[in-house]
Amino acid sequence: MYALIDGNNFYVSCERVFNPRLRDRPVVVLSNNDGCAIARSNEAKALGIRMGAPWYQIRHLEQEAGLVALSANFALYGDMSDRMMALAAGLGHCQEVYSIDECFVDLSGIRGDLEERSRRMRQRILQWVGLPTCIGIGPTKTLAKLANHIAKTAERKPGSYPARHAQVCHLGAVAPQTLEHLLAATGVGEVWGVGWRMAPQLREAGIHSALDLRGFDPVLARRRWSVVLEQTVRELQGIPCAALEAEDQARRAIACTRSFGQPVTELHDLREAVTDFTSRAAEKLRRQGSRAAQVLTFIRTSPFRRQEGQYSRSVVTPLPRPTDDSAALVRAALGGLQSIYRPGFCYARAGVVLLDLASAEPAQRELVWEDAPAPVHRARLMQAMDAVNRRHGRDTLQLASAGLARGGRVWAMRQERRSPGYTTRWEDLLEAKA
């Protein structure tokens, strides 16, 4: 038996914890550079704001409907996620953190009323962290995900989902007839594992609901679509096919890409941006204990400004040997940037992707003579730089080619509406006054 715990409108809920004035108001959180809506409160959804709606298209709702728009504050959201996940782990004996606002918990062998246990956990997270959640329980991960969807929508769709399933839904405890009713009321596109491209194909084949998909032949699902859909069908039938992944899986590639706050034309500004992006990717690389053998660098103009000219190029630079050294990775990325840069264009985006990752554990590799004198102190230097930045804040120590953050970077993202770092910066701590 599995439970899926999911934070409701997570980014918006994190903002509301520290700013009660946002409660009961339409709120959206905007993407990098304040481009589009990536999180919406229920009140914002009621205004018809769709996920991914460009800010310039909904900006008029500030005056017309009191819409509040905030820049994304990912440091705050990540910290709040850690707090929520630490509590959610107490629901069972094994946890898989699936995303920043979702986790699966294994409830196998736990005695008592699982639904009541889940309601107490939901109340604890709300009281201790301030985040509202919904919990779905089922005999497979797919059914737990479906139960969570029902728990979220029971209040908004009382005709389809009984109100008793609001906030917590236990599909393993409902009667077979009730389960069929719930599956029939759920569109096939709402099933975990059915993508937006596959849903129209399934509907053309006469599969419109989760109940239809559960009754589909899994072998035929694999033959016509994929093994993933076959596993989804079997999980809807109550046959577990996806085990809990208690440990984080090492990434096969690590990317850091950004859109610029304003168009960038000069090479030295692009060098600063690429240095910064590569340094951040290198820090993630060391955190997961890996080394990269190749570095991909790309730059591109905005597809929405065709009158300024279009240009998009990328290049992959192989390294003499796999490394996690920020300086070596930046050197490769800047070499790639130099080869693809063309003057006369207004660049809107750049990025770096670390490829061909391998474990940083000692292994037999080709000896590169020019790197032979590079001793252990380089690894210690990287560890020291990471430790200083963790303790005193990002960019406290950085490579010189990244430029000075205090000097005002042309390529820096627009985040004009970002809230304070309530839990991640000492100077942003809230003050309680009598």
Side-chain angles (χ1 to χ4, degrees):
M1 195 66 66
Y2 298 97
L4 176 67
I5 305 174
D6 182 16
N8 299 343
N9 308 324
F10 186 72
Y11 294 168
V12 172
S13 295
C14 290
E15 299 285 356
R16 284 176 165 173
V17 170
F18 300 97
N19 189 353
R21 295 186 184 93
L22 298 177
R23 294 174 185 172
D24 301 322
R25 295 190 61 183
V27 181
V28 296
V29 173
L30 302 175
S31 63
N32 291 334
N33 283 311
D34 298 341
C36 60
I38 58 174
R40 306 157 295 159
S41 67
N42 290 336
E43 295 81 5
K45 295 174 184 177
L47 293 176
I49 299 175
R50 56 183 176 81
M51 180 66 77
W55 170 234
Y56 74 88
Q57 291 183 357
I58 60 175
R59 189 166 192 162
H60 63 94
L61 294 174
E62 276 189 302
Q63 299 298 326
E64 297 175 8
L67 176 66
V68 177
L70 301 171
S71 301
N73 189 341
F74 292 115
L76 172 65
Y77 309 152
D79 183 72
M80 295 295 286
S81 173
D82 289 342
R83 297 168 188 242
M84 186 184 88
M85 297 305 172
L87 289 176
L91 185 61
H93 47 74
C94 189
Q95 180 189 42
E96 174 191 342
V97 178
Y98 182 65
S99 67
I100 192 171
D101 62 340
E102 292 179 284
C103 70
F104 287 99
V105 177
D106 189 353
L107 301 178
S108 302
I110 294 180
R111 299 178 181 178
D113 188 334
L114 296 181
E115 185 171 348
E116 179 59 28
R117 179 184 178 91
S118 298
R119 292 192 184 278
R120 289 198 302 269
M121 175 55 69
R122 180 184 180 279
Q123 182 60 34
R124 179 180 299 175
I125 294 174
L126 182 63
Q127 181 180 356
W128 291 13
V129 187
L131 296 175
T133 58
C134 284
I135 302 179
I137 307 171
T140 67
K141 292 173 72 175
T142 301
L143 286 172
K145 184 81 171 178
L146 179 62
N148 184 272
H149 168 74
I150 294 170
K152 276 191 170 184
T153 54
E155 291 181 339
R156 300 200 303 268
K157 300 179 181 179
S160 300
Y161 304 115
R164 68 176 180 276
H165 294 307
Q167 302 169 348
V168 175
C169 176
H170 186 359
L171 289 184
V174 300
Q177 298 85 350
T178 303
L179 178 59
E180 288 192 4
H181 169 75
L182 294 171
L183 293 176
T186 303
V188 69
E190 303 292 342
V191 177
W192 187 43
V194 176
W196 64 271
R197 292 179 179 174
M198 186 182 296
Q201 301 176 25
L202 292 173
R203 285 192 283 266
E204 288 180 5
I207 304 173
H208 300 278
S209 67
L211 182 63
D212 297 333
L213 186 59
R214 188 184 70 163
F216 196 64
D217 184 356
V219 177
L220 185 58
R222 177 173 185 168
R223 186 178 304 138
R224 291 187 58 179
W225 283 281
S226 67
V227 65
V228 175
L229 187 62
E230 177 198 11
Q231 292 176 349
T232 299
V233 173
R234 294 188 185 279
E235 289 234 331
L236 286 174
Q237 296 171 349
I239 304 172
C241 297
L244 217 62
E245 297 178 0
E247 297 183 1
D248 293 337
Q249 300 297 310
R251 303 180 189 177
R252 297 182 181 180
I254 294 178
C256 184
T257 69
R258 295 286 189 276
S259 295
F260 302 139
Q262 56 184 312
V264 175
T265 58
E266 301 300 324
L267 177 60
H268 68 84
D269 291 324
L270 287 173
R271 286 174 59 87
E272 287 186 2
V274 168
T275 299
D276 184 77
F277 300 163
T278 308
S279 299
R280 299 195 191 288
E283 185 179 352
K284 296 177 183 177
L285 184 73
R286 292 189 290 270
R287 194 180 304 151
Q288 81 166 28
S290 298
R291 292 174 177 169
Q294 301 183 78
V295 180
L296 181 148
T297 310
F298 76 84
I299 51 176
R300 63 178 62 129
T301 57
S302 172
F304 306 107
R305 298 174 180 169
R306 297 187 178 276
Q307 70 278 7
E308 299 176 354
Q310 296 290 296
Y311 182 80
S312 178
R313 291 291 185 277
S314 65
V315 63
V316 175
T317 305
L319 298 166
R321 65 178 181 182
T323 183
D324 60 3
D325 189 316
S326 292
L329 295 169
V330 167
R331 191 160 50 244
L334 293 181
L337 173 65
Q338 185 74 42
S339 69
I340 61 177
Y341 171 75
R342 296 291 181 272
F345 291 98
C346 296
Y347 295 100
R349 189 176 184 86
V352 172
V353 185
L354 306 183
L355 302 170
D356 196 7
L357 306 189
S359 172
E361 295 296 325
Q364 182 176 356
R365 296 188 179 95
E366 179 182 358
L367 177 63
V368 181
W369 175 252
E370 63 185 23
D371 288 344
V376 184
H377 75 264
R378 291 296 303 179
R380 292 177 179 172
L381 176 62
M382 294 298 104
Q383 293 171 4
M385 185 168 69
D386 291 345
V388 169
N389 286 332
R390 281 195 301 269
R391 182 169 183 176
H392 298 286
R394 181 177 290 179
D395 294 335
T396 301
L397 284 180
Q398 57 184 344
L399 299 180
S401 56
L404 294 176
R406 299 183 185 87
R409 292 165 166 171
V410 174
W411 48 271
M413 292 186 298
R414 288 195 305 270
Q415 292 183 314
E416 301 167 353
R417 300 164 176 266
R418 188 172 65 178
S419 56
Y422 299 108
T423 66
T424 57
R425 291 169 57 91
W426 286 108
E427 54 268 34
D428 290 342
L429 284 177
L430 290 174
E431 295 183 11
K433 297 182 180 179

